Amino acid sequence: MSTSIDNPHFLLRRVHSLLGLIPVGAFLIFHLWENSQSRLGAEHYNEQVVAALKGMNYLPLLEIFVIALPLLFHAGYGLVISAQMRSELLRYRYPRNHLYWMQRISGIGILFFLLLHVGMTRIQGFWDPAVAEDLYTHMQALLSQPWLLGVYVVGLLLSVFHFANGLSSMAIAWGVTTSVRAQRLFGGFCVLFGLLLAALGLHGLMGFLR
Amino acid sequence: MSQPSVIVVGGGLGGLWATVRIADAGFTVTLLSLFEVKRSHSVCAQGGVNAVLDTKGQHDSVRQHIIDTIKGGEYLANQPPVKSMCEDAPGLIRTFERMGVTFSRTPEGLLDQRLFGGVKNKRTCFAGASTGQQLLYGVDQQVRRLESEGRVIKHEWWEFLSLLRDEAGVCRGIVAMDLRSLEVRAFMADAVVMATGGMGQLYAPKTTTSTNSTGAAASRCYQQGAWLANAEFFQFHPTAMIGHDKTRLMSEAARGEGGRIWVPRTPGDRRPPRTIPEVERFYFLEEFFPTYGNTVARDEAARAIWTVTQEMGLGLGGGDRVYLDLTHLDQAFISTRLGAILEIYRKFAGVDPVTEPMEIFPAAHYGMGGLWVDFERAADGGIANGSVRNHATNIPGLYACGECDYAYHGANRLGANSLLSASYSGRVAGESVVSYLKGFAGTRPGVREDLIADEVARQQGLNRAIQEGQGSECPYRIHQDLGALMTAKVGVVRANPQLESALSELRQLAERLDRVDFGAANPWAHQGLVFARQLRDMITLAKVVAQGALARDECRGAHYKPAFALPIPAGTFPGDPAFEAYRARWQENNHQWLKTTIAEHHDDGPRIHYQEVDLSLFPPTDPRDYR
Amino acid sequence: MTEQSIHLRVRRQDRPDSPSYWQEFKLPGHPDHNVVSLLMALREHPVTTTGERVDPVVWDHNCMEEVCGSCAMLINGVPRPSCSALVASLTQPIRLEPLPKFPVVRDLLVDRTRIDEGLKQVKAWVRIDGLWDIHEGAPRIGPNEWAANYLYSRCMSCGCCMAACPQFGPHSDFLGPAPLAQVRLMNAHPTGRYDARERLHAIMGDGGLSDCGQAQNCVRVCPKEIPLTTAIGELGRQTTVQMFKDLFGPS
Ligand SMILES: Cc1cc2nc3c(=O)[nH]c(=O)nc-3n(C[C@H](O)[C@H](O)[C@H](O)COP(=O)(O)OP(=O)(O)OC[C@H]3O[C@@H](n4cnc5c(N)ncnc54)[C@H](O)[C@@H]3O)c2cc1C
Ligand code: HEM
Ligand code: HEM
Ligand code: SF4
Ligand code: F3S
Ligand code: FES
């Protein structure tokens, strides 16, 4: 008998979904909260936030297993999923259809943003100790270039949208919200959540602009 | 070929029940249908299906169901099959229920029942307002299960063209056509079951039936020697909304749930209906039939509407329409009870029947007649279980069930009895076929190859003739003319001179069909060719209807010839001398006409003879009286 | 009822493998025409606006009451049954195209075998022993539960929802929303429940539930207003539970 374990289709998709929330989504919240402390100045940011993190035991392991691999899996499988999309945005002008399309497009957008972003921060930090030393200044330098700032704003908003909308569709996929009413209510909650998260992120970005 | 196999033609309720029953017995079934079986006309039935469950405190009984069916059909139905059908009805409902049919429920979670036309007890099970759809899907799912187990082989988009009979005249297969490639080929089998549904399209567009209910398949069997019985009995549904393409049924449930039929008392009154005061409304069904009122049987209701519009000139705006009014009922109540049918009206007329009375008129709905089928009487007065004779046509090896047979409804069908008869007859036909197959001793010689090849070639020749035809005729226009002719002259009310002229006009229509020209049409999925073939067989069938109607000089059930009417003398009741004299005349008439009409095909037209009806259970002593 | 001219554009295709092309027609019509009755009128006189006599348009129809599901097509770009598409409510020229995602047979006629295959794949039936009476009363089903189930039992396999679903089509093996909704229905039946596990496993495989991306076009276009997305949510819940049973439960 074919059970859901023998055929990985279902489990892969659920793992993809779950990883979107934990740890990737959770990391995003944490990361944006972390960055929002840029508001408190370079010193606080470099010493209280970055250094505190760096002081954690097993940090590389955490980075690999809690951030990099889950994200890579989510992104990789996300590309596979996105390949199945045949959206007809003009024919079906329903909000949900547009969100469906945006979820996939934003995912691909995030992927590009991350390549750039992680490359310019964490990766660059490997051979340029100055970056790792004073991340605040580094970020400040990056973000003072208007085009990069633009990229960051877009990347941030795409990520936040993707996460918030992902939550609402995740709730249906896992069977948390079933009725139309529940889906609408939770959708509203996700909008609020997304707005808050976006505010947090923008707030953090502005912290580097001084 | 060791394991016998069966062909079932038609995937409506009748065909699917037969299929499941035969496959359950271990025989392989080949199922043919013009289209995906779940689109069969059975889905159209809205109202419900009758079965005595007696859950409404009305002391309903199977005996009463039998009597209602027999009386409703004015005694023309053989009584043993009716008895067995009514007795098995509750079991059939329970079986449907097991299949997962979503019958509507009472607050206690039990099957709900409602009132339907022609009876006094709540006896009709229903599934919202889409009962036929739900019943059909129930069996369709079972067939799909059997198909996935390899026990049923479906050929959808194949049309039955003719029977293959061996030298002894036994039916051993069929010739059918792929509706896409137009490939014609033979399918061999040890028994064939016809379940091809009704023939309402003879009256198009004034019919409630689906566009594929042409009756062509039954006509083809008839042309190869099968008998057609009681073809002149055609039920007109009193409440249909008039449309260009089709008249859509307003279910009887609308009357059952309290809908009232009326016209303004003043001819030509054009005021908006809701502004017309009660006293100026003529609730004619309630006045004509005080006991039954708006739930009077269909034929009475149809004729009453005919009288009021044609004879009294009271039709709305002087035309062919009367009101069916629900606006006095509680909105929430009717929305839950009648939601789907009200939606149909809203959808197709663009008006909301909750706030505006509907405009309706009678339309051809159900042919009581069809392929003649046999039965074997059992000692208890019903039919003998598993007899090979049940639902056998006069051609050995050929069975028929569902609306395309003639059994159960006599001269008129009770509302909600035909989903029952289609299901029941499908099961019985299936059982008979199983007995028939088990009865084979050893193997039979195969059918001669040349007979098969000849029939296939003949059918291909018919296709070629149409493809090469020249002239200026269009089959669709001929069909319109056929429908108009049948509606006007072989319709609700009939008279011999018109029937005679109808017969000659039918001959002209057939000649026109010889001159159909499709030009150099693309032969792939050539619907015009398919339709032209069906139309020829429909015209042949229409001749049987008209001929039977012409021959039958009386009024019985749906067949109404005013020139031969025997009305109950007004104001008299059983016991009155005038009434007793009437009863004597009525019995005299029965003596002459209470017989099954049987039509046999001959090249010069149908030959008609009559057969005694089995009246062994309830001899006709009382005329039908709906006052 | 005034006669007026109706302008029609029809995408035609002669064979499954041949290219499609457009033809235009103008015909007189009543405002209470629907698209099927319009095509019926057209087949009596199939002449294009350029005066060319052509084969009548091929399409599928049967009940004319929106219960059989035959007549679905793309009308002005939207998948819907044509028998209930009143001409008066459509902007002209009325564009008719075959129902997308399904292979075209000819003109507006498509092959919807895939719906049937989907129903087989998910075992959309209640397994019963046979068509005989077992002399046992029906199991009770409360009116509320009935009302919820009934909604799904009205699916007429028209395929509109599948045509509108961005995840469904020749490019994917996604079952589509209609067969999924039937799993919801069958799993709710007192006896159908016995096979719920098999059905859930069927929709947890390739082409199953998780290929739905919550685009929710399906529920918008369904002419029968079947709550497909509710079904998808409920199946999400059922499969979640089933997954844990498979992973950790007794086998
Ligand atoms: C609008 C309407 C409402 C109704 N409401 C009710 C109701 O409420 N209660 C009730 O009891 N009855 C009702 N009836 C009557 C009832 O629906 C039918 O009598 C019954 O469904 C007939 O079922 P069937 O199986 O005989 O045929 P159908 O369901 O008509 O099936 C015929 C089958 O035969 C196939 N077929 C036909 N010709 C060929 C061929 N040449 N080759 C291959 N296949 C062929 C078709 O593809 C189809 O599958 C209603 C009828 C109408 C018109
Ligand atoms: C609001 C603007 C953002 C700022 C200012 C910002 C800042 C930073 C910084 C400074 C680092 C380097 C950390 C280090 O080297 O230790 C970093 C790493 C990272 N950022 Fe961002 N980030 C932002 C938005 C985002 C977004 C939207 C994402 C998307 C998910 C993201 C994902 C990552 C990832 C994956 C890393 C690498 C983490 C690691 O392994 O340490 N960032 N970010
Ligand atoms: C910031 C990092 C990301 C976060 C927080 C995130 C989060 C989520 C969440 C919570 C979901 C919902 C899961 C579900 O519907 O079951 C989701 C879905 C999805 N993600 Fe991501 N994701 C991120 C990055 C990416 C990337 C880089 C891609 C790659 C293209 C991607 C592609 C997708 C796709 C295609 C879906 C849709 C799944 C569906 O709707 O069925 N995501 N994501
Ligand atoms: S769910 Fe609706 S749109 Fe889809 S096939 Fe069924 S009836 Fe048609
Ligand atoms: S449109 Fe398709 S993606 Fe899901 S919600 Fe409906 S099945
Ligand atoms: S013809 Fe049946 S749904 Fe339109």
Side-chain angles (χ1 to χ4, degrees):
Chain A
M1 197 201 304
S2 112
T3 77
S4 59
I5 311 175
D6 300 333
N7 184 333
H9 186 76
F10 182 80
L11 280 179
L12 279 176
R13 183 64 177 249
R14 283 293 164 100
V15 167
H16 164 85
S17 174
L18 188 63
L19 290 181
L21 177 64
I22 319 166
V24 180
F27 165 77
L28 182 65
I29 301 177
F30 173 76
H31 189 60
L32 295 185
W33 170 77
E34 192 190 23
N35 289 327
S36 72
Q37 300 183 41
S38 59
R39 266 292 158 120
L40 304 176
E43 199 170 320
H44 178 90
Y45 184 79
N46 281 341
E47 268 143 45
Q48 302 291 315
V49 181
V50 180
L53 268 179
K54 284 203 181 129
M56 274 171 82
N57 293 327
Y58 309 118
L59 183 63
L61 285 182
L62 287 178
E63 280 184 334
I64 292 174
F65 288 104
V66 179
I67 303 173
L69 288 183
L71 187 61
L72 277 176
F73 177 85
H74 181 89
Y77 202 68
L79 285 176
V80 174
I81 293 170
S82 302
Q84 211 186 347
M85 166 180 75
R86 293 291 185 279
S87 244
E88 295 169 282
L89 297 177
L90 296 179
R91 193 191 293 291
Y92 305 107
R93 296 164 192 257
Y94 310 121
R96 262 268 155 217
N97 190 36
H98 292 172
L99 293 177
Y100 158 86
W101 177 80
M102 273 294 291
Q103 181 71 3
R104 279 142 185 80
I105 296 305
S106 62
I108 295 167
I110 300 167
L111 199 58
F112 284 113
F113 167 71
L114 280 181
L115 287 177
L116 191 78
H117 173 54
V118 179
M120 283 174 150
T121 54
R122 192 80 183 91
I123 309 289
Q124 203 178 340
F126 285 140
W127 60 80
D128 187 351
V131 170
E133 276 305 294
D134 186 357
L135 264 176
Y136 185 90
T137 317
H138 176 68
M139 288 309 293
Q140 202 171 27
L142 289 180
L143 292 175
S144 56
Q145 292 159 274
W147 74 273
L148 252 187
L149 179 65
V151 169
Y152 264 73
V153 170
V154 172
L156 168 77
L157 292 181
L158 285 181
S159 303
V160 168
F161 163 81
H162 184 93
F163 184 31
N165 187 52
L167 269 185
S168 86
S169 78
M170 194 176 169
I172 306 172
W174 287 77
V176 178
T177 52
T178 56
S179 71
V180 173
R181 201 181 105 89
Q183 292 175 7
R184 193 178 303 136
L185 270 176
F186 189 68
F189 167 81
C190 290
V191 170
L192 263 180
F193 170 75
L195 288 176
L196 281 176
L197 204 57
L200 187 69
L202 289 174
H203 181 79
L205 269 182
M206 270 147 45
F208 289 107
L209 294 181
R210 280 181 296 182
Chain B
M1 235 196 61
S2 49
Q3 171 74 329
S5 70
V6 183
I7 289 172
V8 174
V9 184
L13 264 180
L16 295 185
W17 268 85
T19 301
V20 179
R21 193 64 192 82
I22 297 167
D24 268 345
F27 300 103
T28 313
V29 180
T30 302
L31 176 60
L32 273 89
S33 168
L34 298 171
F35 36 75
E36 295 100 320
V37 293
K38 76 181 298 192
R39 312 206 189 283
S40 295
H41 171 68
S42 294
V43 292
C44 288
Q46 304 161 344
V49 51
N50 287 337
V52 172
L53 303 179
D54 190 25
T55 53
K56 295 287 178 185
Q58 295 177 312
H59 305 291
D60 197 12
S61 66
V62 172
R63 188 188 141 88
Q64 190 59 44
H65 188 187
I66 300 170
I67 293 176
D68 287 339
T69 305
I70 289 172
K71 281 200 173 174
E74 295 213 22
Y75 292 97
L76 198 61
N78 289 308
Q79 297 180 356
V82 171
K83 174 174 190 284
S84 293
M85 172 179 82
C86 296
E87 285 172 351
D88 277 14
L92 283 172
I93 298 295
R94 288 194 288 268
T95 309
F96 273 125
E97 168 62 40
R98 282 160 61 214
M99 294 178 195
V101 170
T102 50
F103 285 115
S104 295
R105 302 287 170 156
T106 64
E108 294 171 62
L110 297 170
L111 298 185
D112 201 2
Q113 294 206 296
R114 64 154 71 120
L115 193 64
F116 230 58
V119 298
K120 285 182 188 156
N121 292 338
K122 292 189 177 176
R123 187 187 291 153
T124 305
C125 294
F126 57 103
S130 61
T131 314
Q133 187 185 26
Q134 303 316 322
L135 298 187
L136 185 75
Y137 289 1
V139 231
D140 174 59
Q141 287 152 8
Q142 296 304 316
V143 169
R144 193 168 290 108
R145 170 174 65 84
L146 293 165
E147 196 191 1
S148 74
E149 293 168 9
R151 296 201 274 162
V152 171
I153 300 156
K154 263 194 218 157
H155 288 275
E156 289 166 334
W157 303 99
W158 277 82
E159 172 158 19
F160 159 85
L161 295 179
S162 64
L163 303 169
L164 283 171
R165 302 177 68 178
D166 64 14
E167 285 157 286
V170 178
C171 179
R172 303 285 294 274
I174 62 166
V175 171
M177 171 164 72
D178 181 337
L179 293 178
R180 295 170 189 183
S181 65
L182 301 191
E183 176 202 350
V184 174
R185 79 165 170 96
F187 289 80
M188 305 312 291
D190 297 279
V192 174
V193 181
M194 299 301 295
T196 51
M199 51 182 170
Q201 285 295 313
L202 296 185
Y203 290 87
K206 286 213 167 32
T207 172
T208 58
T209 61
S210 296
T211 49
N212 282 290
S213 300
T214 60
S219 172
R220 289 166 190 165
C221 296
Y222 158 76
Q223 291 169 56
Q224 287 185 282
W227 295 344
L228 277 176
N230 288 345
E232 66 270 32
F233 293 96
F234 217 107
Q235 181 175 84
F236 293 84
H237 197 287
T239 56
M241 53 182 282
I242 302 292
H244 287 292
D245 44 347
K246 148 163 196 180
T247 45
R248 293 175 179 84
L249 177 80
M250 247 323 115
S251 165
E252 220 138 31
R255 290 189 286 145
E257 301 290 2
R260 300 174 81 186
I261 293 200
W262 60 278
V263 289
R265 287 195 183 272
T266 337
D269 189 336
R270 286 181 191 277
R271 282 176 294 173
R274 300 208 70 175
T275 66
I276 300 178
E278 277 296 302
V279 288
E280 293 178 38
R281 298 178 179 192
F282 181 24
Y283 292 100
F284 52 93
L285 290 183
E286 291 161 40
E287 286 190 22
F288 293 170
F289 313 101
T291 319
Y292 284 83
N294 286 297
T295 56
V296 73
R298 293 181 172 171
D299 56 328
E300 299 281 8
R303 283 197 291 272
I305 296 172
W306 193 87
T307 309
V308 165
T309 53
Q310 312 291 311
E311 285 175 7
M312 304 168 73
L314 287 176
L316 304 179
D320 282 351
R321 282 156 207 257
V322 301
Y323 288 126
L324 169 54
D325 198 343
L326 299 173
T327 57
H328 57 286
L329 298 170
D330 178 58
Q331 297 203 357
F333 173 76
I334 51 175
S335 308
T336 47
R337 288 309 194 81
L338 303 171
I341 64 168
L342 300 188
E343 193 187 302
I344 289 187
Y345 196 85
R346 270 181 222 120
K347 244 180 192 146
F348 292 94
V351 175
D352 189 349
V354 173
T355 53
E356 284 290 310
M358 300 180 270
E359 299 186 4
I360 53 100
F361 200 71
H365 185 52
Y366 186 92
M368 270 70 69
L371 291 168
W372 177 87
V373 289
D374 201 1
F375 64 90
E376 183 178 329
R377 194 165 186 281
D380 70 350
I383 59 169
N385 275 332
S387 162
V388 292
R389 279 174 56 199
N390 296 334
H391 280 276
T393 67
N394 59 313
I395 297 179
L398 180 67
Y399 288 76
C401 62
E403 194 173 336
C404 75
D405 77 26
Y406 91 111
Y408 306 105
H409 306 297
N412 203 3
R413 171 186 74 111
L414 279 190
N417 247 9
S418 55
L419 289 177
L420 172 61
S421 69
S423 312
Y424 174 73
S425 65
R427 200 195 76 198
V428 172
E431 281 162 1
S432 309
V433 165
V434 170
S435 304
Y436 176 75
L437 296 180
K438 287 186 174 156
F440 287 151
T443 50
R444 297 183 293 177
V447 185
R448 270 184 21 220
E449 288 296 330
D450 59 318
L451 286 181
I452 302 173
D454 286 354
E455 183 55 25
V456 170
R458 187 173 77 91
Q459 295 298 339
Q460 285 165 338
L462 290 175
N463 281 358
R464 217 170 310 116
I466 295 175
Q467 276 166 317
E468 289 164 5
Q470 286 186 343
S472 56
E473 293 288 354
C474 161
Y476 301 112
R477 233 166 295 152
I478 300 176
H479 182 213
Q480 296 289 315
D481 295 344
L482 171 68
L485 168 66
M486 293 297 285
T487 305
K489 297 187 173 169
V490 199
V492 181
V493 174
R494 296 159 177 189
N496 284 342
Q498 273 136 317
L499 290 168
E500 271 160 11
S501 87
L503 276 165
S504 76
E505 284 179 52
L506 285 170
R507 275 187 289 275
Q508 289 162 18
L509 287 183
E511 284 162 20
R512 278 173 60 193
L513 201 51
D514 293 335
R515 299 192 296 274
V516 160
D517 189 354
F518 287 110
N522 170 4
W524 173 257
H526 190 343
Q527 291 180 330
L529 177 142
V530 172
F531 184 71
R533 291 193 62 138
Q534 291 171 347
L535 185 56
R536 179 169 302 283
D537 300 315
M538 289 165 71
I539 294 173
T540 308
L541 192 58
K543 283 184 199 157
V544 181
V545 176
Q547 190 79 51
L550 179 62
R552 185 176 282 275
D553 281 335
E554 65 156 349
C555 292
R556 184 177 299 278
H559 174 68
Y560 187 67
K561 264 187 194 171
F564 301 89
L566 272 183
I568 301 177
T572 67
F573 290 93
D576 300 351
F579 188 92
E580 293 309 320
Y582 159 76
R583 190 199 299 271
R585 262 181 292 137
W586 179 75
Q587 274 164 344
E588 175 63 25
N589 180 65
N590 276 347
H591 186 68
Q592 187 184 358
W593 287 114
L594 182 41
K595 296 197 173 87
T596 302
T597 313
I598 292 184
E600 265 182 271
H601 176 70
H602 286 271
D603 286 339
D604 54 350
R607 301 243 176 100
I608 293 204
H609 66 269
Y610 296 93
Q611 196 183 48
E612 290 302 326
V613 178
D614 186 327
L615 301 167
S616 50
L617 296 171
F618 298 98
T621 47
D622 298 312
R624 203 168 70 133
D625 187 352
Y626 275 125
R627 287 175 298 175
Chain C
M1 244 170 265
T2 49
E3 294 243 331
Q4 39 176 253
S5 171
I6 297 174
H7 188 176
L8 207 57
R9 299 190 70 217
V10 184
R11 186 199 282 280
R12 309 203 54 172
Q13 185 170 333
D14 296 339
R15 295 188 62 90
D17 46 9
S18 64
S20 68
Y21 54 94
W22 288 91
Q23 271 175 355
E24 301 208 14
F25 303 93
K26 277 214 166 84
L27 64 166
H30 294 282
D32 57 345
H33 256 310
N34 57 56
V35 168
V36 172
S37 67
L38 202 62
L39 288 171
M40 283 179 161
L42 181 65
R43 70 184 177 181
E44 290 183 28
H45 191 64
V47 178
T48 64
T49 42
T50 56
E52 187 193 355
R53 198 184 166 80
V54 293
D55 283 355
V57 176
V58 168
W59 86 106
D60 200 3
H61 53 91
N62 196 30
C63 70
M64 314 286 283
E65 303 189 342
E66 209 190 63
V67 279
C68 76
S70 304
C71 65
M73 58 179 73
L74 216 49
I75 301 173
N76 285 346
V78 183
R80 56 188 292 194
S82 48
C83 63
S84 56
L86 293 187
V87 165
S89 66
L90 297 171
T91 45
Q92 296 200 22
I94 301 170
R95 274 178 299 123
L96 303 183
E97 296 166 78
L99 196 66
K101 310 284 179 76
F102 297 97
V104 174
V105 176
R106 181 175 172 185
D107 294 345
L108 304 174
L109 186 67
V110 295
D111 184 340
R112 280 169 285 192
T113 319
R114 243 184 108 174
I115 304 180
D116 205 50
E117 281 166 3
L119 292 172
K120 275 187 210 140
Q121 198 177 325
V122 303
K123 303 186 185 354
W125 50 70
V126 176
R127 226 156 18 103
I128 64 170
D129 196 31
L131 286 197
W132 37 82
D133 187 9
I134 56 167
H135 310 284
E136 189 184 282
R140 294 192 183 210
I141 296 178
N144 291 336
E145 195 186 340
W146 170 80
N149 295 345
Y150 179 69
L151 295 175
Y152 299 102
S153 65
R154 290 167 62 241
C155 168
M156 55 183 185
S157 296
C158 65
C160 291
C161 56
M162 326 256 281
C165 172
Q167 291 284 105
F168 176 83
H171 69 283
S172 88
D173 55 7
F174 180 38
L175 285 166
L180 289 177
Q182 293 305 299
V183 175
R184 149 70 181 79
L185 174 63
M186 295 299 149
N187 283 3
H189 186 264
T191 338
R193 238 163 245 172
Y194 299 159
D195 290 325
R197 193 176 110 133
E198 271 68 54
R199 286 188 209 99
L200 292 178
H201 281 158
I203 63 166
M204 290 162 88
D206 293 324
L209 177 70
S210 37
D211 281 1
C212 162
Q214 325 297 355
Q216 304 205 340
N217 290 344
C218 51
V219 80
R220 295 299 193 109
V221 300
C222 173
K224 294 282 132 188
E225 291 169 12
I226 291 168
L228 293 160
T229 48
T230 304
I232 286 167
E234 289 182 27
L235 291 174
R237 184 175 298 177
Q238 293 181 23
T239 48
T240 303
V241 172
Q242 185 62 44
M243 175 183 73
F244 285 117
K245 282 188 188 163
D246 288 345
L247 286 172
F248 307 118
S251 58

